[in-house]
Amino acid sequence: MSPLPPTADHAWLPPDPGHDLGSRAVAIDATGPLGETVRAELVALTARHGGSVSSPEGATVVLMTADRAADAGIDLEALEEVGDIPDDGFALVRAAGNVAVVGGSDRGLLYGFHHVRRAGLDLDAPDGVEVDAPAHPIRMLDHWDNVAVHPVMGRVERGYSGGSLFYDDGRLRPDLTRVGHYARLLASVGINRVALNNVNVHAAEARLLTDRLHDVVRLAEVFRPQGITVYLSVSFSSPMTLGGLPTADPLEESVQSWWRAAVDRVYDAIPDFGGFVVKADSEGQPGPFGYGRTHGDGANMLGRALAPHGGEVFWRAFVYNHQQDWRDRSTDRARAAYDHFAPLDGTFDDNVILQVKHGPMDFQVREPVSPVIGAVPRTRLALELQVTQEYTGQQRHACYLAPMWSQVLGFPFGDDAAPSVSQLVAGAAGAAADASAEAHSGGVVAVSNVGADEHWTGHPFAQANLYALGRLAWDPDLSPEGILDEWLGATFDDDAVRDAARSIMTGSWQTYESYTAPLGVGWMVRPGHHYGPDVDGYEYTPWGTYHFADRDGIGVDRSVATGTGYAGLYPEPWASRYERPETTPDELLLFFHHVPYTHRLHSGKTVIQHIYDSHFEGVERVEEMVAAWEAVADRAPSAVAQRVGERLAEQLRSAVEWRDQINTYFLRKSGIPDEQGRTIY
Amino acid sequence: MSPLPPTADHAWLPPDPGHDLGSRAVAIDATGPLGETVRAELVALTARHGGSVSSPEGATVVLMTADRAADAGIDLEALEEVGDIPDDGFALVRAAGNVAVVGGSDRGLLYGFHHVRRAGLDLDAPDGVEVDAPAHPIRMLDHWDNVAVHPVMGRVERGYSGGSLFYDDGRLRPDLTRVGHYARLLASVGINRVALNNVNVHAAEARLLTDRLHDVVRLAEVFRPQGITVYLSVSFSSPMTLGGLPTADPLEESVQSWWRAAVDRVYDAIPDFGGFVVKADSEGQPGPFGYGRTHGDGANMLGRALAPHGGEVFWRAFVYNHQQDWRDRSTDRARAAYDHFAPLDGTFDDNVILQVKHGPMDFQVREPVSPVIGAVPRTRLALELQVTQEYTGQQRHACYLAPMWSQVLGFPFGDDAAPSVSQLVAGAAGAAADASAEAHSGGVVAVSNVGADEHWTGHPFAQANLYALGRLAWDPDLSPEGILDEWLGATFDDDAVRDAARSIMTGSWQTYESYTAPLGVGWMVRPGHHYGPDVDGYEYTPWGTYHFADRDGIGVDRSVATGTGYAGLYPEPWASRYERPETTPDELLLFFHHVPYTHRLHSGKTVIQHIYDSHFEGVERVEEMVAAWEAVADRAPSAVAQRVGERLAEQLRSAVEWRDQINTYFLRKSGIPDEQGRTIY
């Protein structure tokens, strides 16, 4: 057993802030577990700051759900002007110096509470009603946690924050106190769903569905008071491995009834259970292809077992041939999800959500937006992001990912008037298609970066990514800079520390990109663990991840005219823009085209000089990060100061390694010297 | 528990052959466990072939030890003419159609028996005395077996034959029957020492020295009747990890006395225990450097604990910096063993044997001979060979290694009159230095390739390597072709099968070399597991294993004039020959020199064309192997036919992969097309 650390830091919910709310007379009119949660928050807050939890009559601030607003004497006319408050949303009703926080549901109330705790009451604002509601109904975290330690992947697949918060040594942790704290952190930024186990479902994890169900019950109990519904990743072959059936064919009645019975048992134990996450026919996981069935057959079979209980299936679109022949240049992994799933649009049941990674490959530091997102208007969608920094420094490097996510969410799928990725996954395309928005709502799913580490996320600054994920899932129009300021303000007391952390985090995604893989080429990492450089590491493998660098040039030709045709999977103007090197954005040039090292970018630099410059500059930027932190470290909490210092030292070491290996590789291959004559080995 | 297969093949000791001896009246005059072993062999042999074990008077063949020859009425004069029979040797005394097999010791008698069983009696030979004795007193196998399954390395480090023959699931196998069969196979080719556990000593294995000693007792009981002495690999930090001392400093009296006591306990339990094998200060294993002591201090400390009992220390010279900076071209791993150990010559106690890998790196398919072997005339030496095919196809590829070992053993360390590697490790240099040959005798140690597999060695043909290792350790002047014929004759009944196997095995080392790493460059393998190609896999790592390929050329400059100076570590004429590309043998060119791809070899080809040609030809050769086996497979035992067929199919798949990756890598890098226009990707 590896015990959890005795204390963990408070992340963005330290006890002190919240004075604006906690110093007043506040009232709450709500029942049920979430009402109790808010009440307890208010009691703690007012006790700390000198306020009180009083009756509505004497209160400055009243919190309630919309269905109780009439009883509470709220100005219903003003409220009705804004129409119904969405379930997960809330309204702030201001009248004569008082504020009512009206949740569209219990969950909306909880989010309203966290809003005023965080943003303050703004009592000087004019009377009126202000509604805040999430852009995406689905705001979910997937945990790639293993119950039993996996011989290769360990306790959390792609986990960089110690062990699992949930499981240890093959069983559920007896003490789930920290899971409760975690759930509160998630609720404070609006997360409403959590999947409890790795999408690669190994033997012990599979049994969470059956004889380990009591573990799920206990976790659901901990997440429930924070408005978070729990989900399980399940193996498509469960009817065979757990049920002893001879097949897992989704069209076999025995299989269907096995799943129905399994689902019924789950809902008997957990009436508000969320549903399943499924990685099928992907990287060796079983799926419907094994029975000659479509992914529609597979997903709908599970959906129909869950539907009577209101459950959902998150069906991952991450399906590709991971046993490709590297000699075969006609097969393009980037096309795979599109080719598999675009033809299935319209065949999925209403409670099936297609979960699509934001890029066509796999969470590289730079990818174009997945064309699947614009290709399935009659399918519910979840955009899959990766908070855990698998390919972006593994929480040893500071890498603030909100700017990447913000770009993805805002990407217009067509001309400027076209819906953005955020709007598409929220359901805009479906709503436009048949005016039934409800059935088409989706959202954002992200792989969590949290573990048993005392700072939750290994690198304390990686907390900002988790925070930002929640905030962008709520409102994709928030600026990454603004979110960072919110997080800094909530996390650190000292202005100098905030300034240093801000300077380290701002631009850190581009910095990571600059010293690792250039111009969208990706995959220059060590195979397997994915940390550190190995330019040819994936070049001759079956993974479909190639750069084709030779002595003359580099990049993958994905044009329609001469390449794999991938560029043509986008709507205009993107298809035309991506088709030619001249109109492709520099940062994606090598993703779409094979060009000579002497090709001149829009920046004016040649490709080879860009490689050299960006790698030298990336390291310089990390040196600045190190210096910025050293200047303020003694003003930060000592555990944070030490951890951040260690991680920055490793980031610098690693960045130097990236710089030298990448530059050396390309100097040896191209023979073109650095214009500035810097040291390359 | 993974059970041993119910049956294993007989390898080169099937029950049927031996008719020449088994059909006669034979007598044996010997006592002790080895005498009993020979007696049991004779009883079984005569029972099968119609002969009898009789009294010496009526016998055609008599077997005895030299000290009993007078009593047995042997022609002592003839015997005395040849002088003393060496301990492990034997004499064949022929007189009037009868043969006496006279062992120099019990062990010599056992080897004499196996000789006549294998070679026949040759009763028509003229009267006289013929003595056969091993060239090397030390003929040892090291097992890299783990007691407990290692999370990365598994049950046998670099083992390709199933699990360990000794251990399973963290404990000694209850049934050691197959270990007994294994010991008999080893005795039949003259092996006299076995180390029982991995040189990387993990926690469970360390305890073989202390509270798991009973396991060693049981193994010793199984090896003893075959004349094989058992050894343990021990961890240098045992006094700390097992003894709870605060240090393992070899100059601390408490450490010395801990080792003395540990050794005393071992000899109480196993009076004929052999001693220790030690990997110290090597790839993360602890050693004397940690205490500022020399390897002389470390080895002698252990030697002095063992000396009172007649035990020996095998101290590995495999010491190098495995955390080297790849940017640093002045550090040369090939120099490391020489630089560490040549200065220590003369400082090791008489019961310390320096165990030196045959090449300066680590068992690559082609390396020069280690210069250490010629640099320590006052040190006992063991040449370390690797029967397990770590870098030579992992027993999935047919690769008959005897030609490599034969070259190494016969390599003259100086001009043509200089002693060979075999003579040096046997003790020639020491004997020349101070005329005390006894104290300088050494020999051959090899890493075993045997496991729990039903064919012993994964690939049935890999048995030939184990057989050849024993035969060459006995007599390095035997021809690899002759040894192969011996093995084929002993192993297969069918002439066509023998012919096919011979054609597959002959030249298979060069074939493996041809489709893998060209011209001595080495290390183009996947890091970690070392199977399959990855040209740059080790290029930017800390392992000291680089090829420095750029767009113009490839190879490591190890000359004195412009390189690392490694070439100068050899005596003349080798130092001068290796110093210049023009005089370096083609097969080692890239080991010693960095040359342009257009450099012309002695063969007349350019380096780049050699790369292409050898890789295409290597695959063609494997295709011929496949065809040769297919033609005879139905004449071989079905289990062997199937296994060999599977392995050859994998060898072909892998050879194609090597060919295409290596050729593609160098075409992309050099830009020079294949003269024959064959397909490169």
Side-chain angles (χ1 to χ4, degrees):
Chain A
M1 295 280 288
S2 59
L4 288 168
T7 58
D9 70 30
H10 293 283
W12 58 81
L13 288 179
D16 272 346
H19 180 271
D20 202 21
L21 185 60
S23 59
R24 299 176 199 276
V26 296
I28 173 156
D29 179 12
T31 56
L34 273 65
E36 289 310 309
T37 299
V38 175
R39 185 184 311 278
E41 292 274 5
L42 292 173
V43 168
L45 206 58
T46 51
R48 178 170 281 268
H49 294 291
S52 63
V53 180
S54 64
S55 65
E57 291 70 36
T60 307
V61 186
V62 185
L63 298 98
M64 78 207 68
T65 48
D67 57 352
R68 302 170 80 95
D71 296 345
I74 297 299
D75 177 356
L76 287 177
E77 266 182 50
L79 203 53
E80 278 162 10
E81 275 174 25
V82 303
D84 285 343
I85 306 168
D87 266 5
D88 279 7
F90 57 88
L92 300 182
V93 185
R94 296 173 196 285
N98 292 334
V99 181
V101 181
V102 184
S105 65
D106 285 358
R107 208 138 61 176
L109 177 66
L110 177 63
Y111 300 146
F113 160 75
H114 279 294
H115 173 84
V116 294
R117 182 196 49 74
R118 177 171 61 228
L121 290 164
D122 197 11
L123 290 173
D124 298 333
D127 285 3
V129 180
E130 185 187 326
V131 173
D132 195 357
H136 310 107
I138 290 168
R139 303 176 305 283
M140 181 165 182
L141 285 174
D142 281 0
H143 275 263
W144 288 355
D145 295 25
N146 296 319
V147 177
V149 181
H150 186 271
V152 176
M153 290 300 175
R155 296 174 291 176
V156 179
E157 182 155 336
R158 312 305 177 189
Y160 312 108
S161 309
S164 166
L165 209 52
F166 308 150
Y167 319 107
D168 186 40
D169 200 27
R171 64 197 66 200
L172 190 68
R173 289 182 184 276
D175 180 354
L176 297 178
T177 309
R178 277 204 61 202
V179 180
H181 294 165
Y182 174 58
R184 179 170 174 258
L185 284 169
L186 297 189
S188 79
V189 292
I191 298 298
N192 62 4
R193 286 164 172 82
V194 164
L196 299 173
N197 62 301
N198 190 355
V199 288
N200 292 316
V201 183
H202 311 297
E205 295 71 27
R207 293 165 46 216
L208 290 169
L209 181 66
T210 51
D211 59 318
R212 299 189 86 118
L213 184 57
H214 48 89
D215 292 341
V216 186
V217 170
R218 286 198 56 216
L219 286 166
E221 284 167 359
V222 178
F223 280 107
R224 186 175 294 117
Q226 300 294 347
I228 296 170
T229 310
V230 299
Y231 291 68
L232 284 180
S233 295
V234 296
S235 166
F236 197 76
S237 61
S238 297
M240 300 167 71
T241 53
L242 298 173
L245 297 189
T247 178
D249 182 344
L251 300 193
E252 276 284 333
E253 167 53 29
S254 61
V255 171
Q256 296 165 1
S257 67
W258 186 89
W259 279 109
R260 277 195 303 270
V263 166
D264 289 348
R265 281 193 306 271
V266 173
Y267 278 91
D268 280 348
I270 310 165
D272 58 353
F273 181 72
F276 296 148
V277 178
V278 188
K279 177 177 182 178
D281 292 318
S282 172
E283 298 182 337
Q285 295 293 314
F289 286 166
Y291 308 95
R293 311 303 182 191
T294 71
H295 277 233
D297 295 332
N300 292 340
M301 182 268 292
L302 293 177
R304 285 162 201 174
L306 288 159
H309 308 281
E312 299 165 329
V313 179
F314 287 83
W315 190 268
R316 293 177 91 228
F318 186 55
V319 177
Y320 68 100
N321 177 8
H322 71 290
Q323 297 181 321
Q324 182 177 336
D325 188 338
W326 59 268
R327 300 165 190 79
D328 164 22
R329 292 214 187 183
S330 67
T331 300
D332 182 1
R333 171 169 164 181
R335 291 190 61 113
Y338 185 100
D339 290 343
H340 282 300
F341 287 95
L344 297 179
D345 187 36
T347 70
F348 291 103
D349 283 5
D350 281 354
N351 66 336
V352 174
I353 297 123
L354 190 64
Q355 182 168 325
V356 183
K357 294 197 184 202
H358 67 82
M361 299 297 280
D362 188 13
F363 299 136
Q364 300 302 290
V365 67
R366 178 77 70 169
E367 295 188 37
V369 167
S370 170
V372 175
I373 293 162
V376 289
R378 293 172 296 164
T379 302
R380 292 178 70 187
L381 279 173
L383 178 74
E384 183 173 321
L385 303 172
Q386 196 184 39
V387 188
T388 193
Q389 292 171 233
E390 178 176 0
Y391 292 98
T392 52
Q394 304 198 349
Q395 282 130 262
R396 288 184 261 185
H397 297 230
C399 185
Y400 180 53
L401 293 168
M404 178 207 279
W405 301 332
S406 176
Q407 281 187 13
V408 170
L409 288 162
F411 180 84
F413 240 98
D415 59 27
D416 290 347
S420 66
V421 166
S422 164
Q423 290 166 329
L424 287 171
V425 300
D434 64 6
S436 160
E438 197 71 4
H440 292 280
S441 64
V444 174
V445 173
V447 187
S448 178
N449 65 347
V450 164
D453 170 57
E454 65 178 311
H455 301 291
W456 299 97
T457 52
H459 200 313
F461 290 0
Q463 292 175 7
N465 285 327
L466 186 63
Y467 182 89
L469 184 282
R471 298 290 287 139
L472 287 170
W474 184 278
D475 181 358
D477 296 327
L478 292 174
S479 81
E481 300 75 22
I483 295 172
L484 181 60
D485 276 339
E486 281 183 17
W487 176 77
L488 290 167
T491 304
F492 295 114
D493 291 333
D494 186 278
D495 277 343
V497 171
R498 289 175 184 161
D499 290 346
R502 184 185 298 107
S503 79
I504 290 168
M505 299 285 273
T506 302
S508 56
W509 166 47
Q510 287 89 342
T511 297
Y512 188 84
E513 179 183 31
S514 71
Y515 59 74
T516 57
L519 302 168
V521 74
W523 297 107
M524 293 180 168
V525 293
R526 281 267 150 197
H529 59 62
H530 300 162
Y531 188 79
D534 187 348
V535 180
D536 275 2
Y538 275 104
E539 191 59 14
Y540 302 97
T541 72
W543 293 97
T545 48
Y546 316 117
H547 54 64
F548 302 122
D550 61 21
R551 73 195 324 251
D552 301 315
I554 179 174
V556 187
D557 184 353
R558 292 190 162 105
S559 70
V560 174
T562 57
T564 69
Y566 170 84
L569 305 183
Y570 289 88
E572 292 295 350
W574 298 108
S576 295
R577 277 192 205 161
Y578 291 150
E579 177 67 12
R580 296 186 307 124
E582 295 71 26
T583 50
T584 300
D586 282 353
E587 69 271 14
L588 288 172
L589 179 67
L590 302 182
F591 189 92
F592 283 103
H593 300 285
H594 188 93
V595 300
Y597 293 117
T598 52
H599 176 90
R600 206 159 284 277
L601 301 168
H602 298 111
S603 70
K605 291 181 180 178
T606 60
V607 166
I608 189 71
Q609 194 58 40
H610 173 90
I611 292 174
Y612 297 150
D613 287 352
S614 59
H615 285 81
F616 281 111
E617 288 160 12
V619 171
E620 287 163 16
R621 181 77 186 86
V622 178
E623 286 168 342
E624 292 165 13
M625 293 180 178
V626 171
W629 188 250
E630 280 175 355
V632 303
D634 60 355
R635 304 172 68 125
S638 64
V640 171
Q642 187 184 334
R643 181 72 69 88
V644 172
E646 288 165 4
R647 302 274 154 148
L648 283 169
E650 165 57 17
Q651 183 169 7
L652 180 57
R653 184 207 64 75
S654 177
V656 167
E657 201 59 36
W658 275 96
R659 176 195 69 191
D660 289 346
Q661 289 197 31
I662 301 290
N663 284 347
T664 299
Y665 179 98
F666 285 105
L667 175 62
R668 288 189 187 176
K669 209 149 199 169
S670 73
I672 301 171
D674 173 35
E675 287 172 1
Q676 297 188 41
R678 291 163 291 196
T679 302
I680 301 177
Y681 297 89
Chain B
M1 293 283 287
S2 58
L4 286 169
T7 57
D9 69 32
H10 293 283
W12 56 82
L13 289 179
D16 272 346
H19 179 272
D20 201 20
L21 185 60
S23 59
R24 299 175 198 276
V26 296
I28 173 155
D29 179 12
T31 56
L34 272 66
E36 290 310 311
T37 300
V38 175
R39 184 183 313 277
E41 292 275 4
L42 292 173
V43 167
L45 206 58
T46 52
R48 177 170 282 266
H49 294 290
S52 63
V53 180
S54 64
S55 65
E57 291 70 37
T60 307
V61 186
V62 185
L63 298 97
M64 76 208 68
T65 48
D67 55 353
R68 303 170 80 93
D71 296 345
I74 297 299
D75 177 355
L76 287 176
E77 265 181 51
L79 203 54
E80 277 162 10
E81 275 174 26
V82 303
D84 286 342
I85 305 168
D87 266 5
D88 279 7
F90 56 89
L92 301 181
V93 185
R94 297 172 194 287
N98 293 333
V99 181
V101 180
V102 185
S105 64
D106 285 358
R107 208 138 60 177
L109 178 65
L110 177 63
Y111 300 146
F113 160 75
H114 280 293
H115 172 84
V116 293
R117 180 197 50 74
R118 176 171 62 227
L121 290 165
D122 197 12
L123 290 172
D124 298 334
D127 285 4
V129 181
E130 184 188 325
V131 173
D132 195 357
H136 309 106
I138 291 168
R139 304 176 304 283
M140 180 167 184
L141 284 174
D142 281 0
H143 274 262
W144 287 355
D145 295 25
N146 296 319
V147 177
V149 181
H150 186 270
V152 176
M153 291 299 174
R155 295 175 291 177
V156 179
E157 181 155 337
R158 312 305 177 188
Y160 313 108
S161 310
S164 165
L165 210 51
F166 307 150
Y167 318 108
D168 187 39
D169 200 27
R171 66 198 64 202
L172 189 68
R173 290 183 183 275
D175 180 354
L176 297 178
T177 309
R178 277 204 62 202
V179 179
H181 294 165
Y182 174 57
R184 179 168 174 261
L185 284 169
L186 298 189
S188 79
V189 291
I191 298 297
N192 62 4
R193 288 164 171 83
V194 164
L196 299 173
N197 63 301
N198 190 353
V199 288
N200 293 316
V201 182
H202 311 295
E205 294 72 25
R207 292 166 45 215
L208 289 170
L209 182 66
T210 52
D211 58 318
R212 300 188 85 118
L213 184 58
H214 48 89
D215 291 343
V216 186
V217 170
R218 285 197 57 216
L219 287 167
E221 284 165 0
V222 178
F223 280 105
R224 187 175 294 119
Q226 300 295 346
I228 294 169
T229 310
V230 300
Y231 290 69
L232 284 180
S233 295
V234 295
S235 166
F236 198 76
S237 61
S238 297
M240 301 167 71
T241 54
L242 297 173
L245 297 188
T247 178
D249 182 345
L251 299 194
E252 276 284 331
E253 167 51 30
S254 61
V255 171
Q256 296 165 2
S257 66
W258 186 89
W259 279 109
R260 277 195 303 270
V263 167
D264 289 348
R265 280 193 307 272
V266 173
Y267 278 91
D268 280 348
I270 310 165
D272 58 353
F273 180 73
F276 296 148
V277 178
V278 189
K279 177 178 182 177
D281 292 319
S282 173
E283 299 181 336
Q285 295 293 313
F289 286 166
Y291 307 95
R293 309 305 181 190
T294 72
H295 278 233
D297 295 332
N300 292 341
M301 182 267 294
L302 293 177
R304 284 163 202 173
L306 288 159
H309 307 281
E312 299 165 330
V313 179
F314 287 83
W315 190 266
R316 293 176 92 228
F318 187 54
V319 178
Y320 69 99
N321 177 8
H322 70 291
Q323 298 182 321
Q324 182 178 335
D325 188 338
W326 59 268
R327 300 165 191 81
D328 165 23
R329 292 215 187 182
S330 68
T331 300
D332 181 2
R333 170 169 163 181
R335 290 191 62 113
Y338 185 100
D339 290 343
H340 282 300
F341 286 95
L344 297 179
D345 186 37
T347 69
F348 292 103
D349 283 5
D350 281 354
N351 66 335
V352 173
I353 297 124
L354 190 64
Q355 182 169 326
V356 183
K357 294 197 183 201
H358 68 81
M361 300 297 279
D362 188 13
F363 299 135
Q364 300 302 290
V365 68
R366 179 76 71 168
E367 296 189 36
V369 166
S370 170
V372 175
I373 293 162
V376 289
R378 292 172 295 165
T379 302
R380 291 178 71 187
L381 279 173
L383 178 75
E384 183 173 321
L385 302 172
Q386 196 182 39
V387 188
T388 193
Q389 293 171 233
E390 178 176 0
Y391 293 97
T392 51
Q394 303 198 351
Q395 283 130 259
R396 288 184 261 185
H397 296 230
C399 185
Y400 180 52
L401 292 168
M404 178 207 279
W405 301 331
S406 176
Q407 280 187 15
V408 170
L409 287 162
F411 181 84
F413 239 99
D415 58 27
D416 289 347
S420 66
V421 166
S422 165
Q423 290 166 328
L424 287 171
V425 301
D434 64 7
S436 161
E438 197 72 4
H440 294 279
S441 65
V444 174
V445 174
V447 187
S448 177
N449 66 345
V450 164
D453 170 58
E454 65 177 311
H455 300 291
W456 300 96
T457 52
H459 200 313
F461 290 0
Q463 293 175 6
N465 285 326
L466 185 64
Y467 182 89
L469 183 281
R471 299 289 289 138
L472 287 170
W474 183 280
D475 182 357
D477 296 328
L478 291 174
S479 82
E481 300 75 23
I483 296 172
L484 181 60
D485 277 338
E486 280 184 8
W487 176 78
L488 290 167
T491 304
F492 296 113
D493 291 332
D494 186 278
D495 276 344
V497 171
R498 288 177 186 160
D499 289 347
R502 183 185 298 107
S503 80
I504 290 167
M505 299 286 273
T506 301
S508 56
W509 166 47
Q510 287 89 341
T511 297
Y512 189 84
E513 179 182 31
S514 71
Y515 59 74
T516 58
L519 302 168
V521 74
W523 298 106
M524 291 179 169
V525 292
R526 281 267 150 195
H529 58 63
H530 300 163
Y531 189 78
D534 186 349
V535 182
D536 275 1
Y538 275 105
E539 189 58 14
Y540 302 97
T541 71
W543 293 97
T545 47
Y546 315 116
H547 55 63
F548 301 123
D550 61 22
R551 73 195 324 250
D552 301 314
I554 179 173
V556 187
D557 184 353
R558 292 191 162 106
S559 71
V560 174
T562 57
T564 68
Y566 171 84
L569 304 183
Y570 289 87
E572 292 297 349
W574 298 108
S576 295
R577 277 191 205 161
Y578 292 150
E579 176 67 12
R580 296 185 310 124
E582 294 71 26
T583 50
T584 300
D586 283 352
E587 69 271 16
L588 288 172
L589 178 67
L590 302 182
F591 189 92
F592 283 104
H593 300 285
H594 188 93
V595 299
Y597 294 117
T598 52
H599 175 91
R600 205 159 284 278
L601 300 169
H602 298 110
S603 70
K605 291 181 181 179
T606 61
V607 166
I608 189 71
Q609 194 58 39
H610 173 91
I611 292 173
Y612 298 150
D613 287 352
S614 59
H615 285 81
F616 282 111
E617 288 159 12
V619 171
E620 287 162 17
R621 182 76 186 85
V622 178
E623 287 168 342
E624 290 165 13
M625 293 179 178
V626 172
W629 189 249
E630 279 174 356
V632 303
D634 59 355
R635 305 172 68 125
S638 65
V640 170
Q642 186 183 336
R643 181 72 70 86
V644 172
E646 288 164 4
R647 301 274 154 149
L648 283 169
E650 165 57 16
Q651 182 169 8
L652 180 57
R653 184 208 64 76
S654 177
V656 167
E657 200 61 34
W658 274 97
R659 175 194 70 190
D660 289 346
Q661 288 197 30
I662 302 289
N663 284 347
T664 300
Y665 179 98
F666 286 104
L667 175 63
R668 287 188 188 177
K669 209 148 198 169
S670 72
I672 301 171
D674 172 36
E675 286 172 2
Q676 298 189 41
R678 291 162 291 195
T679 301
I680 300 178
Y681 297 88

